Amino acid sequence: MEIRFYNTFTNATETFQPVESDCVRMYSCGPTVYDFAHIGNFRSFLFADVIRRTLEFFGHKVHHVMNITDVGHMTDDASADGAGEDKMQAAARRVKEDKKSGRVPEGAVQDPDDPYQIAKFYTDAFLQDAQTLGVKVAFESDNILHATQHIDSMQEMIAQLIANGHAYVGLDGVVYYSVESFPSYGSLSGNTLDRLLIGAGGRISDENQANKRHPADFMLWKADSSHIMKWDSPWGLGYPGWHIECSCMARKRLGRDVIDIHTGGEDLIFPHHECEIAQTCGATGKDTFARFWMHARFLMVEGEKMSKSKGNFWTVRDVLEGRATGTQVHPAVLRLELIKSHYRSNMNFTRKGLLDSAGAVKRLTEFRTRLEAACGGKAEPVDLTYPILKEFAEALADDLNIAGALGAILPWASSTPSDPAAALGAFHRINEVLSIAPLGSTSSGAALDSGKHAAIEDLCRQLDDARKRKDFAAADGLRTEIQKQGYDVKTSPNGTIAEKRLA
Ligand code: AMP
Ligand code: ZN
């Protein structure tokens, strides 16, 4: 089946074909770890997770990587200039207050003046939340890339850009990218140099104009011995710009000059992704960095973007523990809420929406239990000719039309299929993509650990088989194995249930 995705680069919905048939290479901009990620951030991360799972559903192997920005993301990120203060620096002040209020627990971040401790605390919190919501890449430590661990490669790329005539050392000692050296600057965002010069909405800062060749030139390396995090470099003790980290790590970890898909939220189109294209193409000499640029629109609160800087945000924990809406919900409910509207429309976070999602998760989970009871838990493999799976696949292939897919699945989940084993097989395949029908209890205490779903489900089935054979030694071994992976093992009339323990 032909998969079609909207490409921000061409402003068109196009047929997706990987550059190389063996594997889809995909990069997602991850969080800046100076605070807890909020559910708006997670709308973007879950969008990337659904793209990956969709491609896997259609049989592609996907190498998906995500970065952790732990240096170089400045508070004035709307300009392409590296103006403002490093967000990690700002965090050091805030964390001291947060420790007093209990928002950061007493034992954590022993020394708030140590940015590495701050970064570690929020990186761990992010990965835990991402795993709770079933973001697959968060289970793959090799594919989570920390900017501070790749400084040497960033310096190599900067040196390459200087050698290729795309970068220079400004009068203030900062290494700048020369946007005039890259004629197609602006092709992603529409912010071409002539438009920027007319002053398109204050999108470039003129603070440093005297030091650089063009007002839109952006920072690659800044020598600053007073900065909160710094490294030796040919251009002085200092730190890298935010944009260079993604260009560098995507190429290094994915091992290609041209990758298939690059994702982020809509605010990253300019300057971040525009600058990434200039840097990568400037270093590789190719005219493309990513074939598909895909962006999620914002999660809104009362008409405004949910954002850390505005303070109008809820974290994953706020929602799951009931602080956001007064009702505790299972992680699957929040996951569904954040993926159910089309990614190219803004969505509003509301209590009503969340409760509707809770109803849908309950319906799906009960449907699975009914199917398991009807076929003794033995699912039959089905292909895309199976009617509901065909409808699901067509909706996904149509630029990730999850709302359309749910429009078919939810009525199906109220029916009583005459072929429960095949229906269960279809259900499993659907749930591998959406991951909204959790194993075990749907109470808020159970985390959604869908990166392990299939493996754990398999162990539960083996345990049931061992019990039936009265091979109690094997059953005990399997029980211990499931427990070791962080699950409580429970027995239900439909067989073994594994319930994830929250850390
Ligand atoms: P940050 O931690 O600020 O670097 O952002 C991480 C990701 O979240 C980026 O891809 C942003 O574009 C995205 N993002 C930030 N706010 C929102 C929002 N309200 N809705 C959707 N995505 C967002
Ligand atoms: Zn990025």
Side-chain angles (χ1 to χ4, degrees):
M1 188 176 293
E2 195 174 81
I3 305 172
R4 292 171 65 74
F5 288 148
Y6 183 83
N7 187 355
T8 310
F9 195 85
T10 53
N11 290 323
T13 306
E14 294 172 27
T15 301
F16 175 80
Q17 281 291 349
V19 180
E20 290 165 70
S21 57
D22 66 323
C23 182
V24 176
R25 292 173 176 84
M26 169 172 169
Y27 185 91
S28 297
C29 288
T32 306
V33 284
Y34 71 114
D35 202 340
F36 292 104
H38 56 66
I39 56 171
N41 300 133
F42 272 100
R43 182 177 202 220
S44 293
F45 305 143
L46 285 168
F47 152 68
D49 185 63
V50 171
I51 297 176
R52 174 203 173 143
R53 287 168 180 263
T54 295
L55 291 165
E56 288 173 344
F57 172 86
F58 284 111
H60 291 286
K61 183 166 168 267
V62 183
H63 187 178
H64 183 202
V65 302
M66 182 182 276
N67 69 304
I68 301 281
T69 300
D70 49 7
V71 67
H73 193 171
M74 312 306 281
T75 47
D76 289 358
D77 60 1
S79 77
D81 201 19
E85 184 186 28
D86 193 302
K87 291 189 176 190
M88 296 307 296
Q89 187 119 36
R93 283 194 302 277
R94 205 206 53 247
V95 167
K96 287 179 195 157
E97 293 307 310
D98 284 354
K99 284 191 75 156
K100 284 187 208 146
S101 71
R103 192 167 175 263
V104 171
E106 223 354 90
V109 197
Q110 301 275 347
D111 176 5
D113 286 319
D114 178 354
Y116 289 92
Q117 287 190 29
I118 296 176
K120 177 161 185 349
F121 174 71
Y122 288 119
T123 301
D124 290 349
F126 163 70
L127 290 174
Q128 196 184 8
D129 289 349
Q131 291 183 0
T132 299
L133 292 183
V135 176
K136 271 185 157 184
V137 72
F139 292 93
E140 304 164 346
S141 52
D142 282 359
N143 293 325
I144 296 290
L145 309 174
H146 305 255
T148 51
Q149 292 170 14
H150 297 267
I151 302 292
D152 287 352
S153 312
M154 292 182 212
Q155 292 188 2
E156 277 167 32
M157 195 168 206
I158 295 169
Q160 177 83 64
L161 287 170
I162 294 175
N164 291 1
H166 288 292
Y168 64 96
V169 179
L171 297 177
D172 49 1
V174 171
V175 184
Y176 289 107
Y177 188 97
S178 165
V179 289
E180 286 164 311
S181 74
F182 189 69
S184 51
Y185 190 83
S187 52
L188 176 71
S189 62
N191 286 326
T192 49
L193 295 185
D194 45 343
R195 287 207 187 166
L196 282 170
L197 280 182
I198 306 164
R203 301 220 77 168
I204 49 174
S205 125
D206 55 8
E207 231 175 61
N208 290 328
Q209 287 227 26
N211 296 311
K212 50 191 188 174
R213 296 177 189 165
H214 187 281
D217 288 353
F218 58 91
M219 163 197 151
L220 298 173
W221 186 270
K222 185 168 185 171
D224 178 358
S225 57
S226 67
H227 192 75
I228 192 163
M229 290 160 132
K230 46 190 174 283
W231 294 263
D232 271 330
S233 84
W235 317 285
L237 188 65
Y239 63 100
W242 170 36
H243 314 308
I244 194 77
E245 70 172 86
C246 291
S247 283
C248 167
M249 295 190 296
R251 187 181 181 200
K252 188 172 165 196
R253 185 71 187 97
L254 293 172
R256 293 290 185 280
D257 290 346
V258 181
I259 64 171
D260 291 294
I261 301 177
H262 195 312
T263 75
E266 60 176 314
D267 54 340
L268 298 191
I269 298 172
F270 186 86
H272 188 52
H273 289 165
E274 192 70 68
C275 295
E276 279 190 44
I277 294 172
Q279 293 166 154
T280 300
C281 296
T284 62
K286 306 267 163 62
D287 60 6
T288 309
F289 171 19
R291 292 276 305 284
F292 276 75
W293 287 89
M294 296 179 69
H295 296 96
R297 300 288 294 270
F298 290 141
L299 178 70
M300 312 290 282
V301 192
E302 286 161 18
E304 274 202 286
K305 173 194 175 193
M306 177 174 284
S307 79
K308 290 174 204 163
S309 56
K310 290 200 184 88
N312 61 349
F313 66 89
W314 296 113
T315 64
V316 170
R317 292 136 203 252
D318 290 334
V319 177
L320 301 187
E321 291 161 18
R323 284 188 296 281
T325 61
T327 308
Q328 295 189 359
V329 293
H330 187 279
V333 174
L334 179 56
R335 179 177 167 101
L336 173 58
E337 182 58 14
L338 293 175
I339 65 174
K340 77 182 180 189
S341 4
H342 196 267
Y343 73 91
R344 284 197 291 118
S345 308
N346 287 128
M347 74 161 279
N348 264 312
F349 178 69
T350 62
R351 179 179 152 79
K352 182 179 176 314
L354 196 68
L355 295 182
D356 286 350
S357 293
V361 165
K362 186 161 179 285
R363 199 194 309 182
L364 288 164
T365 311
E366 288 172 356
F367 180 54
R368 175 168 55 193
T369 306
R370 284 207 312 279
L371 292 177
E372 282 173 344
C375 69
K378 285 251 178 298
E380 205 176 275
V382 285
D383 63 22
L384 298 190
T385 57
Y386 188 79
I388 189 72
L389 213 50
K390 182 165 182 283
E391 265 186 89
F392 178 69
E394 278 166 359
L396 282 182
D398 178 17
D399 194 26
L400 302 177
N401 182 4
I402 305 288
L406 288 167
I409 295 162
L410 288 172
W412 177 61
S414 297
S415 70
T416 306
S418 54
D419 51 354
L424 186 60
F427 188 95
H428 286 324
R429 288 197 67 184
I430 291 168
N431 201 39
E432 270 302 307
V433 180
L434 302 182
S435 198
I436 50 174
L439 282 177
S441 147
T442 51
S443 74
S444 59
L448 185 69
D449 190 1
S450 43
K452 287 186 180 163
H453 257 188
I456 298 289
E457 272 185 353
D458 196 45
L459 288 172
C460 290
R461 269 193 291 276
Q462 289 181 40
L463 200 157
D464 288 338
D465 288 347
R467 275 212 194 103
K468 270 183 217 143
R469 295 195 309 272
K470 301 210 181 320
D471 183 349
F472 298 114
D476 282 349
L478 287 158
R479 169 187 291 272
T480 311
E481 180 55 37
I482 299 170
Q483 286 167 335
K484 263 203 245 152
Q485 305 219 21
Y487 290 76
D488 288 327
V489 179
K490 298 191 174 158
T491 311
S492 82
N494 299 320
T496 301
I497 285 177
E499 208 168 85
K500 179 88 170 84
R501 281 190 299 274
L502 280 180

